[in-house]
């Protein structure tokens, strides 16, 4: 059962078309990331409208370099969903009962934020190396959907 604020299309086929379109938008947004190892994008949709977006990168005011000399991600790099959630927090909107579209499934820390802001559905294209975040969301009753994107 989906909360009232999450747009649910009348049939599964139409829902899938919209899910794929929003995931493609997230993929395009991920290309703005300066990270070399992995570029991740996020889109938050509420009542059929994009209310926020984000990609992984450094905090405002920091150099855009995301990795150290060995290629490891710097500890202060923000994940795409954290950036999208932060952007909503700075606006007059909120993420209550929204859907989060991600190119990569959320980590455990981002999953905690997803729960706290009231996101009710998470759609992702690729699974993160640690599935703990998805387990937390499932345990909390968040609807989770894995929809792989075509590579073209």
């Amino acid at each position: 059962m989906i909360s009232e604020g999450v747009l649910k299309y009348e049939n599964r086929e139409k829902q899938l078309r919209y899910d794929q379109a929003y995931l493609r938008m997230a993929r395009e947004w991920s290309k703005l990331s300066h990270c070399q190892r992995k570029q991740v994008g996020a889109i938050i949709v509420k009542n059929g409208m994009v209310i926020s977006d984000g990609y992984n990168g450094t905090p405002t005011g920091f150099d855009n370099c995301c990795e150290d000399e060995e290629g490891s991600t710097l500890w202060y790099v923000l994940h795409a969903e954290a950036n999208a959630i932060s952007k909503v927090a700075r606006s007059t909107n909120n993420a209550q009962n929204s859907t989060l579209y991600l190119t990569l499934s959320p980590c455990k820390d981002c999953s905690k934020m997803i729960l706290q802001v009231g996101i009710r559905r998470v759609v992702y294209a690729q699974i993160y190396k640690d599935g703990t975040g998805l387990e937390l969301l499932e345990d909390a009753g968040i609807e989770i959907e894995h929809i792989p994107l075509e590579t073209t």
Side-chain angles (χ1 to χ4, degrees):
M1 176 94 182
I2 288 286
S3 300
E4 199 175 293
V6 178
L7 188 60
K8 196 70 170 172
Y9 298 99
E10 57 267 4
N11 64 51
R12 180 69 191 126
E13 222 174 271
K14 187 172 182 180
Q15 179 69 55
L16 181 60
R17 281 198 323 268
Y18 276 86
D19 288 344
Q20 290 170 330
Y22 287 129
L23 281 174
R24 285 191 301 272
M25 288 174 68
R27 181 175 56 196
E28 284 303 310
W29 211 248
S30 75
K31 294 175 184 177
L32 295 172
S33 172
H34 291 272
C35 293
Q36 299 297 310
R37 280 184 354 115
K38 188 163 292 282
Q39 295 177 313
V40 182
I43 301 288
I44 300 176
V45 176
K46 183 175 179 177
N47 297 325
M49 295 181 294
V50 174
I51 62 165
S52 190
D53 50 54
Y55 53 87
N56 57 325
T58 58
T60 303
F62 280 68
D63 181 58
N64 284 329
C65 183
C66 297
E67 291 88 6
D68 62 19
E69 301 80 35
E70 288 85 42
S72 297
T73 301
L74 297 168
W75 69 268
Y76 54 82
V77 169
L78 293 162
H79 291 185
E81 54 271 56
N83 273 323
I85 289 168
S86 297
K87 192 182 277 190
V88 169
R90 291 190 313 267
S91 75
T92 58
N93 214 331
N94 66 70
Q96 189 71 35
N97 297 321
S98 63
T99 299
L100 173 62
Y101 293 90
L102 293 164
T103 57
L104 187 66
S105 66
C107 71
K108 60 186 174 187
D109 290 324
C110 288
S111 291
K112 291 184 280 188
M113 285 194 305
I114 290 166
L115 290 173
Q116 284 299 99
V117 300
I119 291 170
R120 293 289 169 239
R121 185 168 180 255
V122 174
V123 180
Y124 68 95
Q126 291 181 306
I127 191 155
Y128 182 60
K129 62 186 173 188
D130 178 4
T132 310
L134 288 177
E135 290 171 17
L136 176 67
L137 295 175
E138 275 184 346
D139 290 346
I142 303 300
E143 182 182 347
I144 299 169
E145 184 125 17
H146 176 218
I147 302 174
L149 279 175
E150 65 283 352
T151 56
T152 58

